[in-house]
Amino acid sequence: MRKVTKIKENNGEHKLKSKLRVAAYARVSTENADQLVSLEAQKHHYEAYIKANSNWEFVGIYYDKGVSGTKKEKRTELLRLISDCENRKIDFIITKSISRFARNTTDCLELVRKLTDIGVFIYFEKENINTQSMDSELMLSILSSLAENESVSISENNKWAIKRRFRNGTYKLSYPPYGYDYLDGEIVINKKQAEVVKRIFADALSGKGSQRIAQELNDEGVPTKRGGQWTGTTVRGILCNEKYTGDLLLQKTYTDETFKRRANKGELDQYFIESHHEAIISHADFEAVNEAIEQRGKEKGIKKGNNKYLNRYPFSGKIICDECGSTFKRRIHSSKTNKYIAWCCSKHLSKIKECSMIYIREDRIHEAFIMMVNKLIFSHKVVLKPLLRNLKSIDYADNLMKVQEIESKIEENTERVKVLVNLMTKGYLEPALFNTQKNELRVEAEKLKEQKKALYRSINGGMNKVTELQQLLKYASKTDQIERFNEEIFEQFVDRVIAFSPTEIGFELKCGVTLKERIER
């Protein structure tokens, strides 16, 4: 007879080993497009990285954007992360580097100790530090101290070097203005461009406005310094630039303690160098032009430097002719009974045979805008919500992966350049071979950067549309019908107005949608 052994049942619960709950923290310090796309790439990377580990449970990604890393109090998402850790929702945190987590030594150590005390640990990818396996805080303290001083020291060193060059007169302009080139380290006149500069000043002295001057230059096919189109802003920049008199005013702007660029209105010293280079315009002509510009501004009640100096009206530069692509200009029309404001195609005004688009009354544009907004308020559930779902469904994962790949290639390219320079310095490379290989790497780097920019534009454009549409939906769902034109609402949601005909216009919204409305003559 076979022997049978009975194995008693285990009344204890069969417990599976619980997964480690992992979250990631990311931060970018500016709101510019490239930085925000970089943030999206980080978020995508961390989500994929955490989910790839079968022993980890993905909790989420916490991220701050457009804030400085020097003070933890300014970073709401970091504080929310700490709060969730204290509430036992997170076991482990992954972040890119100490400088992304904290640039203040005290804050960094305080947070690490607080989290360690409750059993939550941090992994810093760049430094390869895991706070769970650290024997002491010495290395973390050193690295976080370096991170704290990194931005300040770099900024201060740069400022000190620039101010030193200001004082001794050796500061070199990063980019000479239109009309000048660099030759052997000196600013020299570009004769062809200088003739255009002289013409711009002569036209301004004759009473022409900057927009008209720009239009005439474009009509004649005169290229700007970068080969683009002339604008009123470009022309005004030339007319107000003292460099054309041969003088040089340094430190017109400065970077404040929060790393924001500001106009220097007496906060810091400025440095004025007379006869720094050859002049194109006389001091008398320069002063006469700027007095005329200032006088025209006073007549219109606008001070130079005011944010309304260039766009005095909500429709300025925003109404586009569908027939010729020109912008519309504001005009006062008079009849026997009354006066009214109208907007006219600038091409039609200057060359009537090249564009047949006639004027549109401003009050009709107001009425069309009110109608369009009220339609969105009434039907936001059936129009805006489905559109938002469609935009959110677009997956940018492939492009984000490509961004990371390109960034890695750019880093490799930079390292290869450093190796080349090192070999050249030690005499292991012939100068001819060094120059050839360095040029090849430079061309490769430029191509990679262009590819990266193209991806940024694609990703950022889609993400911006989602953000703009969310704001529009929020407004439409919480607002009553409007009865009059609201300039703030127009500025917030409308990118431009397309004039399809004198009786039909379209409002091109910032979320990418164009809505057409019929108007009366």
Side-chain angles (χ1 to χ4, degrees), residues 122-152:
I122 309 171
Y123 176 62
F124 300 99
E125 280 191 301
K126 182 178 177 181
E127 294 84 5
N128 193 27
I129 290 178
N130 186 334
T131 58
Q132 186 174 11
S133 58
M134 288 172 52
D135 295 326
S136 76
E137 293 181 336
L138 177 60
M139 183 57 67
L140 183 63
S141 178
I142 293 170
L143 291 173
S144 57
S145 296
L146 292 173
E148 176 185 357
N149 293 310
E150 179 184 9
S151 57
V152 176

PDB file of all heavy atoms in Angstrom, residues 122-152:
ATOM      1  N   ILE A 122      14.975  58.482  -2.496  1.00  0.00           N
ATOM      2  CA  ILE A 122      15.072  59.196  -3.772  1.00  0.00           C
ATOM      3  C   ILE A 122      16.251  58.660  -4.570  1.00  0.00           C
ATOM      4  O   ILE A 122      17.321  58.389  -4.008  1.00  0.00           O
ATOM      5  CB  ILE A 122      15.263  60.709  -3.555  1.00  0.00           C
ATOM      6  CG1 ILE A 122      14.216  61.250  -2.592  1.00  0.00           C
ATOM      7  CG2 ILE A 122      15.206  61.465  -4.877  1.00  0.00           C
ATOM      8  CD1 ILE A 122      14.480  62.687  -2.159  1.00  0.00           C
ATOM      9  N   TYR A 123      16.029  58.551  -5.891  1.00  0.00           N
ATOM     10  CA  TYR A 123      17.133  58.181  -6.790  1.00  0.00           C
ATOM     11  C   TYR A 123      17.406  59.349  -7.720  1.00  0.00           C
ATOM     12  O   TYR A 123      16.533  59.785  -8.464  1.00  0.00           O
ATOM     13  CB  TYR A 123      16.784  56.941  -7.606  1.00  0.00           C
ATOM     14  CG  TYR A 123      17.851  56.585  -8.626  1.00  0.00           C
ATOM     15  CD1 TYR A 123      19.142  56.250  -8.231  1.00  0.00           C
ATOM     16  CD2 TYR A 123      17.563  56.618  -9.991  1.00  0.00           C
ATOM     17  CE1 TYR A 123      20.121  55.942  -9.152  1.00  0.00           C
ATOM     18  CE2 TYR A 123      18.540  56.307 -10.927  1.00  0.00           C
ATOM     19  CZ  TYR A 123      19.815  55.961 -10.500  1.00  0.00           C
ATOM     20  OH  TYR A 123      20.797  55.664 -11.429  1.00  0.00           O
ATOM     21  N   PHE A 124      18.636  59.889  -7.661  1.00  0.00           N
ATOM     22  CA  PHE A 124      19.060  60.963  -8.545  1.00  0.00           C
ATOM     23  C   PHE A 124      19.808  60.344  -9.724  1.00  0.00           C
ATOM     24  O   PHE A 124      20.928  59.826  -9.552  1.00  0.00           O
ATOM     25  CB  PHE A 124      19.963  61.951  -7.806  1.00  0.00           C
ATOM     26  CG  PHE A 124      19.305  62.601  -6.612  1.00  0.00           C
ATOM     27  CD1 PHE A 124      19.530  62.131  -5.320  1.00  0.00           C
ATOM     28  CD2 PHE A 124      18.450  63.679  -6.778  1.00  0.00           C
ATOM     29  CE1 PHE A 124      18.930  62.721  -4.223  1.00  0.00           C
ATOM     30  CE2 PHE A 124      17.838  64.279  -5.679  1.00  0.00           C
ATOM     31  CZ  PHE A 124      18.075  63.800  -4.401  1.00  0.00           C
ATOM     32  N   GLU A 125      19.195  60.399 -10.923  1.00  0.00           N
ATOM     33  CA  GLU A 125      19.752  59.697 -12.085  1.00  0.00           C
ATOM     34  C   GLU A 125      21.148  60.180 -12.459  1.00  0.00           C
ATOM     35  O   GLU A 125      22.062  59.382 -12.649  1.00  0.00           O
ATOM     36  CB  GLU A 125      18.817  59.882 -13.292  1.00  0.00           C
ATOM     37  CG  GLU A 125      17.614  58.978 -13.299  1.00  0.00           C
ATOM     38  CD  GLU A 125      16.893  59.030 -14.628  1.00  0.00           C
ATOM     39  OE1 GLU A 125      16.461  60.122 -15.031  1.00  0.00           O
ATOM     40  OE2 GLU A 125      16.783  57.976 -15.277  1.00  0.00           O
ATOM     41  N   LYS A 126      21.311  61.493 -12.629  1.00  0.00           N
ATOM     42  CA  LYS A 126      22.575  62.030 -13.128  1.00  0.00           C
ATOM     43  C   LYS A 126      23.735  61.687 -12.193  1.00  0.00           C
ATOM     44  O   LYS A 126      24.809  61.269 -12.637  1.00  0.00           O
ATOM     45  CB  LYS A 126      22.466  63.550 -13.285  1.00  0.00           C
ATOM     46  CG  LYS A 126      23.717  64.198 -13.856  1.00  0.00           C
ATOM     47  CD  LYS A 126      23.523  65.706 -14.021  1.00  0.00           C
ATOM     48  CE  LYS A 126      24.791  66.371 -14.532  1.00  0.00           C
ATOM     49  NZ  LYS A 126      24.606  67.838 -14.669  1.00  0.00           N
ATOM     50  N   GLU A 127      23.525  61.839 -10.884  1.00  0.00           N
ATOM     51  CA  GLU A 127      24.607  61.583  -9.923  1.00  0.00           C
ATOM     52  C   GLU A 127      24.679  60.113  -9.506  1.00  0.00           C
ATOM     53  O   GLU A 127      25.608  59.723  -8.792  1.00  0.00           O
ATOM     54  CB  GLU A 127      24.399  62.458  -8.677  1.00  0.00           C
ATOM     55  CG  GLU A 127      24.537  63.958  -8.911  1.00  0.00           C
ATOM     56  CD  GLU A 127      23.254  64.601  -9.429  1.00  0.00           C
ATOM     57  OE1 GLU A 127      22.217  63.887  -9.514  1.00  0.00           O
ATOM     58  OE2 GLU A 127      23.270  65.799  -9.738  1.00  0.00           O
ATOM     59  N   ASN A 128      23.678  59.306  -9.933  1.00  0.00           N
ATOM     60  CA  ASN A 128      23.602  57.890  -9.575  1.00  0.00           C
ATOM     61  C   ASN A 128      23.636  57.705  -8.050  1.00  0.00           C
ATOM     62  O   ASN A 128      24.365  56.880  -7.512  1.00  0.00           O
ATOM     63  CB  ASN A 128      24.745  57.102 -10.229  1.00  0.00           C
ATOM     64  CG  ASN A 128      24.509  55.599 -10.140  1.00  0.00           C
ATOM     65  OD1 ASN A 128      23.367  55.138 -10.066  1.00  0.00           O
ATOM     66  ND2 ASN A 128      25.584  54.834 -10.140  1.00  0.00           N
ATOM     67  N   ILE A 129      22.811  58.480  -7.369  1.00  0.00           N
ATOM     68  CA  ILE A 129      22.731  58.414  -5.905  1.00  0.00           C
ATOM     69  C   ILE A 129      21.349  57.919  -5.507  1.00  0.00           C
ATOM     70  O   ILE A 129      20.332  58.463  -5.944  1.00  0.00           O
ATOM     71  CB  ILE A 129      22.992  59.798  -5.269  1.00  0.00           C
ATOM     72  CG1 ILE A 129      24.453  60.189  -5.434  1.00  0.00           C
ATOM     73  CG2 ILE A 129      22.615  59.809  -3.792  1.00  0.00           C
ATOM     74  CD1 ILE A 129      24.781  61.559  -4.869  1.00  0.00           C
ATOM     75  N   ASN A 130      21.346  56.881  -4.665  1.00  0.00           N
ATOM     76  CA  ASN A 130      20.105  56.361  -4.096  1.00  0.00           C
ATOM     77  C   ASN A 130      20.180  56.592  -2.594  1.00  0.00           C
ATOM     78  O   ASN A 130      21.046  56.033  -1.911  1.00  0.00           O
ATOM     79  CB  ASN A 130      19.952  54.868  -4.395  1.00  0.00           C
ATOM     80  CG  ASN A 130      18.606  54.317  -3.952  1.00  0.00           C
ATOM     81  OD1 ASN A 130      17.974  54.852  -3.041  1.00  0.00           O
ATOM     82  ND2 ASN A 130      18.179  53.243  -4.585  1.00  0.00           N
ATOM     83  N   THR A 131      19.286  57.420  -2.058  1.00  0.00           N
ATOM     84  CA  THR A 131      19.378  57.778  -0.646  1.00  0.00           C
ATOM     85  C   THR A 131      19.148  56.587   0.283  1.00  0.00           C
ATOM     86  O   THR A 131      19.514  56.640   1.452  1.00  0.00           O
ATOM     87  CB  THR A 131      18.368  58.895  -0.297  1.00  0.00           C
ATOM     88  OG1 THR A 131      17.044  58.446  -0.619  1.00  0.00           O
ATOM     89  CG2 THR A 131      18.666  60.155  -1.074  1.00  0.00           C
ATOM     90  N   GLN A 132      18.608  55.507  -0.247  1.00  0.00           N
ATOM     91  CA  GLN A 132      18.377  54.315   0.585  1.00  0.00           C
ATOM     92  C   GLN A 132      19.688  53.602   0.908  1.00  0.00           C
ATOM     93  O   GLN A 132      19.827  52.989   1.954  1.00  0.00           O
ATOM     94  CB  GLN A 132      17.431  53.356  -0.137  1.00  0.00           C
ATOM     95  CG  GLN A 132      17.025  52.163   0.704  1.00  0.00           C
ATOM     96  CD  GLN A 132      15.974  51.300   0.030  1.00  0.00           C
ATOM     97  OE1 GLN A 132      15.698  51.486  -1.154  1.00  0.00           O
ATOM     98  NE2 GLN A 132      15.368  50.381   0.765  1.00  0.00           N
ATOM     99  N   SER A 133      20.648  53.695  -0.003  1.00  0.00           N
ATOM    100  CA  SER A 133      21.900  52.957   0.185  1.00  0.00           C
ATOM    101  C   SER A 133      23.057  53.856   0.619  1.00  0.00           C
ATOM    102  O   SER A 133      24.203  53.454   0.629  1.00  0.00           O
ATOM    103  CB  SER A 133      22.281  52.245  -1.117  1.00  0.00           C
ATOM    104  OG  SER A 133      22.422  53.182  -2.168  1.00  0.00           O
ATOM    105  N   MET A 134      22.768  55.108   0.942  1.00  0.00           N
ATOM    106  CA  MET A 134      23.844  56.019   1.336  1.00  0.00           C
ATOM    107  C   MET A 134      24.314  55.749   2.759  1.00  0.00           C
ATOM    108  O   MET A 134      23.505  55.591   3.663  1.00  0.00           O
ATOM    109  CB  MET A 134      23.362  57.472   1.246  1.00  0.00           C
ATOM    110  CG  MET A 134      23.200  57.984  -0.180  1.00  0.00           C
ATOM    111  SD  MET A 134      22.422  59.596  -0.199  1.00  0.00           S
ATOM    112  CE  MET A 134      23.458  60.482   0.941  1.00  0.00           C
ATOM    113  N   ASP A 135      25.649  55.707   2.935  1.00  0.00           N
ATOM    114  CA  ASP A 135      26.219  55.519   4.260  1.00  0.00           C
ATOM    115  C   ASP A 135      26.341  56.847   5.007  1.00  0.00           C
ATOM    116  O   ASP A 135      26.401  56.890   6.212  1.00  0.00           O
ATOM    117  CB  ASP A 135      27.601  54.861   4.160  1.00  0.00           C
ATOM    118  CG  ASP A 135      27.504  53.458   3.592  1.00  0.00           C
ATOM    119  OD1 ASP A 135      26.501  52.791   3.881  1.00  0.00           O
ATOM    120  OD2 ASP A 135      28.404  53.064   2.846  1.00  0.00           O
ATOM    121  N   SER A 136      26.432  57.926   4.278  1.00  0.00           N
ATOM    122  CA  SER A 136      26.530  59.239   4.917  1.00  0.00           C
ATOM    123  C   SER A 136      25.934  60.285   3.993  1.00  0.00           C
ATOM    124  O   SER A 136      25.660  60.027   2.826  1.00  0.00           O
ATOM    125  CB  SER A 136      27.992  59.587   5.223  1.00  0.00           C
ATOM    126  OG  SER A 136      28.657  59.977   4.037  1.00  0.00           O
ATOM    127  N   GLU A 137      25.749  61.480   4.541  1.00  0.00           N
ATOM    128  CA  GLU A 137      25.159  62.569   3.753  1.00  0.00           C
ATOM    129  C   GLU A 137      26.226  63.455   3.121  1.00  0.00           C
ATOM    130  O   GLU A 137      25.916  64.450   2.487  1.00  0.00           O
ATOM    131  CB  GLU A 137      24.266  63.434   4.647  1.00  0.00           C
ATOM    132  CG  GLU A 137      23.027  62.726   5.157  1.00  0.00           C
ATOM    133  CD  GLU A 137      22.187  63.650   6.025  1.00  0.00           C
ATOM    134  OE1 GLU A 137      22.750  64.608   6.578  1.00  0.00           O
ATOM    135  OE2 GLU A 137      20.988  63.404   6.140  1.00  0.00           O
ATOM    136  N   LEU A 138      27.503  63.086   3.285  1.00  0.00           N
ATOM    137  CA  LEU A 138      28.568  63.966   2.835  1.00  0.00           C
ATOM    138  C   LEU A 138      28.487  64.234   1.334  1.00  0.00           C
ATOM    139  O   LEU A 138      28.511  65.383   0.890  1.00  0.00           O
ATOM    140  CB  LEU A 138      29.931  63.360   3.185  1.00  0.00           C
ATOM    141  CG  LEU A 138      31.148  64.162   2.698  1.00  0.00           C
ATOM    142  CD1 LEU A 138      31.140  65.558   3.319  1.00  0.00           C
ATOM    143  CD2 LEU A 138      32.443  63.419   3.036  1.00  0.00           C
ATOM    144  N   MET A 139      28.391  63.145   0.524  1.00  0.00           N
ATOM    145  CA  MET A 139      28.379  63.332  -0.919  1.00  0.00           C
ATOM    146  C   MET A 139      27.159  64.132  -1.369  1.00  0.00           C
ATOM    147  O   MET A 139      27.257  65.031  -2.201  1.00  0.00           O
ATOM    148  CB  MET A 139      28.404  61.965  -1.618  1.00  0.00           C
ATOM    149  CG  MET A 139      28.474  62.057  -3.153  1.00  0.00           C
ATOM    150  SD  MET A 139      29.911  62.987  -3.743  1.00  0.00           S
ATOM    151  CE  MET A 139      31.221  61.891  -3.252  1.00  0.00           C
ATOM    152  N   LEU A 140      26.009  63.820  -0.812  1.00  0.00           N
ATOM    153  CA  LEU A 140      24.788  64.551  -1.169  1.00  0.00           C
ATOM    154  C   LEU A 140      24.922  66.028  -0.794  1.00  0.00           C
ATOM    155  O   LEU A 140      24.509  66.913  -1.537  1.00  0.00           O
ATOM    156  CB  LEU A 140      23.582  63.937  -0.465  1.00  0.00           C
ATOM    157  CG  LEU A 140      22.227  64.573  -0.809  1.00  0.00           C
ATOM    158  CD1 LEU A 140      21.895  64.388  -2.279  1.00  0.00           C
ATOM    159  CD2 LEU A 140      21.132  63.983   0.055  1.00  0.00           C
ATOM    160  N   SER A 141      25.513  66.284   0.360  1.00  0.00           N
ATOM    161  CA  SER A 141      25.682  67.662   0.819  1.00  0.00           C
ATOM    162  C   SER A 141      26.584  68.440  -0.125  1.00  0.00           C
ATOM    163  O   SER A 141      26.299  69.583  -0.501  1.00  0.00           O
ATOM    164  CB  SER A 141      26.269  67.676   2.230  1.00  0.00           C
ATOM    165  OG  SER A 141      26.478  68.993   2.665  1.00  0.00           O
ATOM    166  N   ILE A 142      27.679  67.796  -0.548  1.00  0.00           N
ATOM    167  CA  ILE A 142      28.615  68.454  -1.471  1.00  0.00           C
ATOM    168  C   ILE A 142      27.947  68.749  -2.808  1.00  0.00           C
ATOM    169  O   ILE A 142      28.012  69.856  -3.334  1.00  0.00           O
ATOM    170  CB  ILE A 142      29.872  67.580  -1.681  1.00  0.00           C
ATOM    171  CG1 ILE A 142      30.680  67.497  -0.373  1.00  0.00           C
ATOM    172  CG2 ILE A 142      30.737  68.135  -2.808  1.00  0.00           C
ATOM    173  CD1 ILE A 142      31.802  66.486  -0.409  1.00  0.00           C
ATOM    174  N   LEU A 143      27.275  67.714  -3.343  1.00  0.00           N
ATOM    175  CA  LEU A 143      26.653  67.873  -4.664  1.00  0.00           C
ATOM    176  C   LEU A 143      25.523  68.894  -4.646  1.00  0.00           C
ATOM    177  O   LEU A 143      25.369  69.682  -5.574  1.00  0.00           O
ATOM    178  CB  LEU A 143      26.140  66.518  -5.159  1.00  0.00           C
ATOM    179  CG  LEU A 143      27.228  65.504  -5.524  1.00  0.00           C
ATOM    180  CD1 LEU A 143      26.594  64.154  -5.820  1.00  0.00           C
ATOM    181  CD2 LEU A 143      28.046  65.972  -6.720  1.00  0.00           C
ATOM    182  N   SER A 144      24.723  68.887  -3.592  1.00  0.00           N
ATOM    183  CA  SER A 144      23.621  69.849  -3.531  1.00  0.00           C
ATOM    184  C   SER A 144      24.141  71.265  -3.324  1.00  0.00           C
ATOM    185  O   SER A 144      23.543  72.235  -3.802  1.00  0.00           O
ATOM    186  CB  SER A 144      22.638  69.482  -2.416  1.00  0.00           C
ATOM    187  OG  SER A 144      23.282  69.410  -1.175  1.00  0.00           O
ATOM    188  N   SER A 145      25.280  71.403  -2.623  1.00  0.00           N
ATOM    189  CA  SER A 145      25.898  72.726  -2.478  1.00  0.00           C
ATOM    190  C   SER A 145      26.351  73.252  -3.827  1.00  0.00           C
ATOM    191  O   SER A 145      26.186  74.429  -4.150  1.00  0.00           O
ATOM    192  CB  SER A 145      27.090  72.653  -1.527  1.00  0.00           C
ATOM    193  OG  SER A 145      26.684  72.301  -0.233  1.00  0.00           O
ATOM    194  N   LEU A 146      26.933  72.366  -4.617  1.00  0.00           N
ATOM    195  CA  LEU A 146      27.353  72.760  -5.964  1.00  0.00           C
ATOM    196  C   LEU A 146      26.153  73.153  -6.812  1.00  0.00           C
ATOM    197  O   LEU A 146      26.184  74.140  -7.550  1.00  0.00           O
ATOM    198  CB  LEU A 146      28.117  71.617  -6.638  1.00  0.00           C
ATOM    199  CG  LEU A 146      29.475  71.271  -6.039  1.00  0.00           C
ATOM    200  CD1 LEU A 146      30.030  70.013  -6.712  1.00  0.00           C
ATOM    201  CD2 LEU A 146      30.451  72.423  -6.202  1.00  0.00           C
ATOM    202  N   ALA A 147      25.088  72.384  -6.692  1.00  0.00           N
ATOM    203  CA  ALA A 147      23.879  72.679  -7.470  1.00  0.00           C
ATOM    204  C   ALA A 147      23.281  74.018  -7.063  1.00  0.00           C
ATOM    205  O   ALA A 147      22.812  74.782  -7.893  1.00  0.00           O
ATOM    206  CB  ALA A 147      22.853  71.566  -7.274  1.00  0.00           C
ATOM    207  N   GLU A 148      23.326  74.311  -5.759  1.00  0.00           N
ATOM    208  CA  GLU A 148      22.764  75.570  -5.263  1.00  0.00           C
ATOM    209  C   GLU A 148      23.485  76.764  -5.858  1.00  0.00           C
ATOM    210  O   GLU A 148      22.885  77.766  -6.207  1.00  0.00           O
ATOM    211  CB  GLU A 148      22.873  75.610  -3.731  1.00  0.00           C
ATOM    212  CG  GLU A 148      22.405  76.935  -3.140  1.00  0.00           C
ATOM    213  CD  GLU A 148      22.638  76.977  -1.634  1.00  0.00           C
ATOM    214  OE1 GLU A 148      23.099  75.972  -1.065  1.00  0.00           O
ATOM    215  OE2 GLU A 148      22.353  78.030  -1.045  1.00  0.00           O
ATOM    216  N   ASN A 149      24.802  76.653  -5.963  1.00  0.00           N
ATOM    217  CA  ASN A 149      25.596  77.787  -6.426  1.00  0.00           C
ATOM    218  C   ASN A 149      25.778  77.825  -7.943  1.00  0.00           C
ATOM    219  O   ASN A 149      26.302  78.797  -8.473  1.00  0.00           O
ATOM    220  CB  ASN A 149      26.986  77.743  -5.778  1.00  0.00           C
ATOM    221  CG  ASN A 149      26.902  77.981  -4.287  1.00  0.00           C
ATOM    222  OD1 ASN A 149      26.276  78.923  -3.848  1.00  0.00           O
ATOM    223  ND2 ASN A 149      27.523  77.103  -3.504  1.00  0.00           N
ATOM    224  N   GLU A 150      25.357  76.763  -8.608  1.00  0.00           N
ATOM    225  CA  GLU A 150      25.613  76.652 -10.047  1.00  0.00           C
ATOM    226  C   GLU A 150      25.049  77.831 -10.830  1.00  0.00           C
ATOM    227  O   GLU A 150      25.770  78.533 -11.533  1.00  0.00           O
ATOM    228  CB  GLU A 150      25.014  75.345 -10.581  1.00  0.00           C
ATOM    229  CG  GLU A 150      25.211  75.176 -12.068  1.00  0.00           C
ATOM    230  CD  GLU A 150      24.522  73.914 -12.566  1.00  0.00           C
ATOM    231  OE1 GLU A 150      23.773  73.284 -11.800  1.00  0.00           O
ATOM    232  OE2 GLU A 150      24.724  73.586 -13.725  1.00  0.00           O
ATOM    233  N   SER A 151      23.740  78.069 -10.715  1.00  0.00           N
ATOM    234  CA  SER A 151      23.113  79.121 -11.510  1.00  0.00           C
ATOM    235  C   SER A 151      23.627  80.501 -11.111  1.00  0.00           C
ATOM    236  O   SER A 151      23.854  81.357 -11.951  1.00  0.00           O
ATOM    237  CB  SER A 151      21.595  79.067 -11.367  1.00  0.00           C
ATOM    238  OG  SER A 151      21.235  79.181 -10.025  1.00  0.00           O
ATOM    239  N   VAL A 152      23.811  80.708  -9.793  1.00  0.00           N
ATOM    240  CA  VAL A 152      24.274  82.005  -9.316  1.00  0.00           C
ATOM    241  C   VAL A 152      25.698  82.281  -9.773  1.00  0.00           C
ATOM    242  O   VAL A 152      26.016  83.362 -10.271  1.00  0.00           O
ATOM    243  CB  VAL A 152      24.188  82.081  -7.768  1.00  0.00           C
ATOM    244  CG1 VAL A 152      24.771  83.391  -7.265  1.00  0.00           C
ATOM    245  CG2 VAL A 152      22.750  81.930  -7.322  1.00  0.00           C
TER     246      VAL A 152
END
